[in-house]
Amino acid sequence: MPHWLQLMLDSLPTLLWAGLKFTVPLTLLSFTLGLALGLLTAVARLFGPMPVAAIARFYVWIIRGTPLLVQLFVIFYGLPSVGILLDAFPAALIGFTLNIGAYTSEIIRAAISSVPKGQWEAAYSTAMNWSQAMRRTILPQAGRVSVPPLANTFISLVKDTSLAAAITVPELFQSAQRIVATTYEPLILYIEAALIYLVMSSVLSHLQSRLEVRFARYGGMLEANR
């Protein structure tokens, strides 16, 4: 067996375990919390009083205008200087959540804005209040519109979690770095890590396509040549 293939096979269990133990939980938790934060931020920008909307806009401006890696460094390496000490995983979780929250807020805000005004009027005509109209009429329609960009954001997050290696989270990419430090085979190990990310992204892309077809079917927008 070629040396490079044997090395890949030997390191595969370690890399997969790191992915299951850190990469997957970090991705799922960050996206779930970020999505909730994004929804609150979008609602605040669209319907909140001016001071709240201004705070939401400022938050989105800061996060979207600075690199994610810098944000992680500020949280993990910068906050200790003011007495706030965080372990690597919670620091990464906070950083990714804040980043995802800003980007998903723009997606959700655009999706809510795309719902015709007549839908609000129809909801109010059936004696719904604002929260009922939002929950039962507006958000289901906005959710269908926002599925493709939110799915793309989730897939990008899977790959972006590799940045957590820079703040010592022992996820998939840092595990590859540690093996490289003992084997001195960076090309082989980094290609293997890239292939694992590629497989995960490909599976998620396939699931995204199926989800889009499902939503399109029930929304009456499915193309005949899908």
Side-chain angles (χ1 to χ4, degrees), residues 13-28:
T14 301
L15 296 181
L16 291 179
W17 175 244
L20 289 174
K21 188 176 181 180
F22 292 100
T23 301
V24 173
L26 183 59
T27 301
L28 294 177

Side-chain angles (χ1 to χ4, degrees), residues 155 200-212:
I155 295 172
M200 291 192 293
S201 298
S202 299
V203 171
L204 291 172
S205 296
H206 176 69
L207 294 176
Q208 175 189 352
S209 298
R210 293 179 63 88
L211 186 62
E212 289 178 12

Side-chain angles (χ1 to χ4, degrees), residues 37-201:
L37 179 59
L39 177 59
L40 292 175
T41 303
V43 171
R45 292 190 64 180
L46 288 172
F47 308 106
M50 186 174 297
V52 175
I55 293 173
R57 283 195 300 271
F58 180 76
Y59 154 64
V60 173
W61 174 65
I62 288 291
I63 297 299
R64 294 182 69 196
T66 56
L68 174 56
L69 184 60
V70 175
Q71 296 164 16
L72 293 174
F73 270 56
V74 168
I75 294 170
F76 185 68
Y77 295 112
L79 291 183
S81 64
V82 294
I84 302 176
L85 301 175
L86 295 171
D87 290 335
F89 189 88
L93 179 60
I94 292 172
F96 286 121
T97 297
L98 291 175
N99 189 270
I100 291 297
Y103 283 93
T104 57
S105 72
E106 291 296 277
I107 295 172
I108 296 171
R109 183 174 67 89
I112 292 175
S113 299
S114 71
V115 177
K117 184 179 179 181
Q119 296 297 314
W120 287 99
E121 296 171 349
Y124 290 144
S125 69
T126 59
M128 291 186 190
N129 57 33
W130 183 90
S131 61
Q132 291 173 329
M134 176 65 74
R135 187 175 66 255
R136 299 177 183 177
T137 303
I138 305 304
L139 286 182
Q141 297 182 62
R144 184 180 295 115
V145 174
S146 62
V147 164
L150 287 177
N152 288 333
T153 300
F154 181 77
I155 295 172
S156 295
L157 176 61
V158 172
K159 295 175 289 184
D160 288 343
T161 55
S162 61
L163 294 175
I167 59 171
T168 72
V169 176
E171 45 72 61
L172 194 158
F173 183 62
Q174 196 190 65
S175 294
Q177 290 179 311
R178 290 178 176 178
I179 298 175
V180 168
T182 59
T183 62
Y184 303 102
E185 295 283 0
L187 180 61
I188 296 173
L189 270 302
Y190 291 153
I191 287 178
E192 183 177 18
L195 290 174
I196 294 174
Y197 282 114
L198 179 61
V199 170
M200 291 192 293
S201 298

